[in-house]
Amino acid sequence: MSTVKDFETSQFPTWCPGCGDFGIWTALKNAFVEQGLSPYQTCVVFGIGCSGNMASFLTVYGFHGLQGRTIPVATGIKLANHTLPVVAIGGDGDGYGIGLGHLIYAMRRNVDITYVVHNNQIYGLTKGQTSPTSEKGATTKSTPFGAIEIPIDPIALAIDVGATYVARGFSGNVKQLTELIVGGMKHKGFALIDAMQPCVTFNHLNTFHWFYERIYELGKEEHDPRDKAKAWAKAMEWPTQLTVDENRIDRIPTGLFYQEERPCYGDELPQLAGASLVEQSIEQIDIQPLMEKLA
Ligand code: SF4
């Protein structure tokens, strides 16, 4: 039986003291242990950013890819070995910026992977520029007069384009985040877990304190995640599109917004019906029917 220690490397994280990444790192390790997984039964694909630096702090089969390209790599790994649990890790700049096209298509396809996004609403690794989830009006090094664009709402987007497990976690609530990651990994289909992660160095607005004052758990109220209309209404509860205002009072729902069962991309590929690609010999793969179709 593996322990949390088995998933750690000899290197202690280099994140800034108090960074929200620590809570997500802890929840991820807890989630692997709770499922009885060992490091060699687990695959994690990392993007570029402070979140991606976790590649050096986690003992798993890991792939540290290019920025915005976590989803294609994770999809390829899952299709080659669909019995392997595959988790992708990225940040808001990575997944909702340059990688957004890949994310939308993976959600439409319902690829059976779990994507945990460290959403700190800023580019941390490059020292504090506006990101796709920065609030309108946020003043950063790249927008000294305030961000002009309205932010992307990952929860509403995911529900709309076809993700089948849509959740928001908070790095300050490790217990709930662990449960959400376990739920996402057990779910068959694309799981998006948008994890709010205060960047204590560059995002001086949305801090741990700010979140603690506003968040609540959907699981403690009456919410049916199978009801798409209700999930949508809950997604609309945090009006991130409003102009930034430190004094405004938001109620921020966390937990599982939406879940449905729908066939996964891999389920619809006849080549994977018998066995995982890695378990098939080259002789077993018959491309003749395909060649006849193309003729
Ligand atoms: Fe965390 Fe921000 Fe420091 Fe990056 S810059 S490690 S996100 S606190």
Side-chain angles (χ1 to χ4, degrees):
M1 187 76 180
S2 297
T3 65
V4 163
K5 271 267 166 248
D6 296 325
F7 287 94
E8 293 174 2
T9 63
S10 56
Q11 195 181 350
F12 189 75
T14 49
W15 295 312
C16 307
C19 172
D21 283 333
F22 283 96
I24 302 173
W25 180 57
T26 304
L28 199 59
K29 290 179 291 176
N30 289 348
F32 295 154
V33 171
E34 268 190 31
Q35 293 173 88
L37 295 169
S38 62
Y40 61 84
Q41 293 171 311
T42 315
C43 182
V44 183
V45 181
F46 303 90
I48 299 296
C50 293
S51 57
N53 289 351
M54 198 196 289
S56 304
F57 319 134
L58 202 64
T59 298
V60 284
Y61 281 121
F63 190 105
H64 199 172
L66 300 174
Q67 190 179 44
R69 310 296 174 221
T70 48
I71 297 294
V73 174
T75 300
I77 293 170
K78 189 67 190 185
L79 292 183
N81 187 356
H82 59 269
T83 56
L84 186 69
V86 178
V87 174
I89 294 284
D92 44 305
D94 182 330
Y96 304 147
I98 190 170
L100 186 63
H102 294 303
L103 174 59
I104 289 174
Y105 276 77
M107 294 195 284
R108 289 180 59 213
R109 291 174 180 139
N110 199 26
V111 181
D112 186 17
I113 58 179
T114 303
Y115 188 29
V116 182
V117 180
H118 298 221
N119 184 355
N120 59 15
Q121 303 169 276
I122 202 153
Y123 283 91
L125 192 69
T126 49
K127 302 199 183 309
Q129 296 83 12
T130 293
S131 88
T133 51
S134 299
E135 290 164 306
K136 181 171 173 58
T139 48
T140 70
K141 287 179 182 165
S142 60
T143 54
F145 303 109
I148 293 171
E149 301 92 344
I150 60 167
I152 287 193
D153 182 339
I155 302 294
L157 178 73
I159 294 170
D160 187 40
V161 301
T164 49
Y165 183 100
V166 183
R168 176 185 290 135
F170 172 47
S171 59
N173 187 344
V174 172
K175 181 174 175 293
Q176 182 202 39
L177 187 55
T178 301
E179 288 165 5
L180 292 173
I181 296 173
V182 170
M185 290 181 71
K186 286 186 173 165
H187 172 78
K188 196 158 168 13
F190 193 96
L192 175 75
I193 299 160
D194 185 58
M196 300 316 297
Q197 174 249 312
C199 169
V200 294
T201 302
F202 295 111
N203 191 340
H204 300 293
L205 177 66
N206 292 353
T207 61
F208 278 99
H209 178 69
W210 189 90
F211 278 108
Y212 279 129
E213 282 185 337
R214 290 163 172 81
I215 57 170
Y216 73 95
E217 294 184 36
L218 286 170
K220 292 185 178 165
E221 301 204 348
E222 258 189 47
H223 175 66
D224 177 7
R226 305 274 164 182
D227 186 327
K228 201 167 194 172
K230 286 197 178 128
W232 183 262
K234 284 289 170 193
M236 293 294 107
E237 242 178 53
W238 184 19
T240 53
Q241 70 274 23
L242 294 181
T243 300
V244 68
D245 174 3
E246 271 191 76
N247 299 316
R248 71 162 199 255
I249 300 170
D250 292 336
R251 252 188 122 224
I252 303 178
T254 59
L256 180 59
F257 284 70
Y258 184 61
Q259 185 170 21
E260 69 165 286
E261 266 79 54
R262 200 175 83 231
C264 301
Y265 188 72
D267 293 341
E268 308 217 6
L269 293 174
Q271 298 88 339
L272 301 182
S276 205
L277 277 185
V278 290
E279 291 162 354
Q280 297 181 48
S281 66
I282 193 74
E283 292 78 37
Q284 283 175 280
I285 301 171
D286 182 9
I287 61 165
Q288 197 52 38
L290 173 67
M291 298 309 288
E292 282 164 14
K293 277 247 182 229
L294 295 176

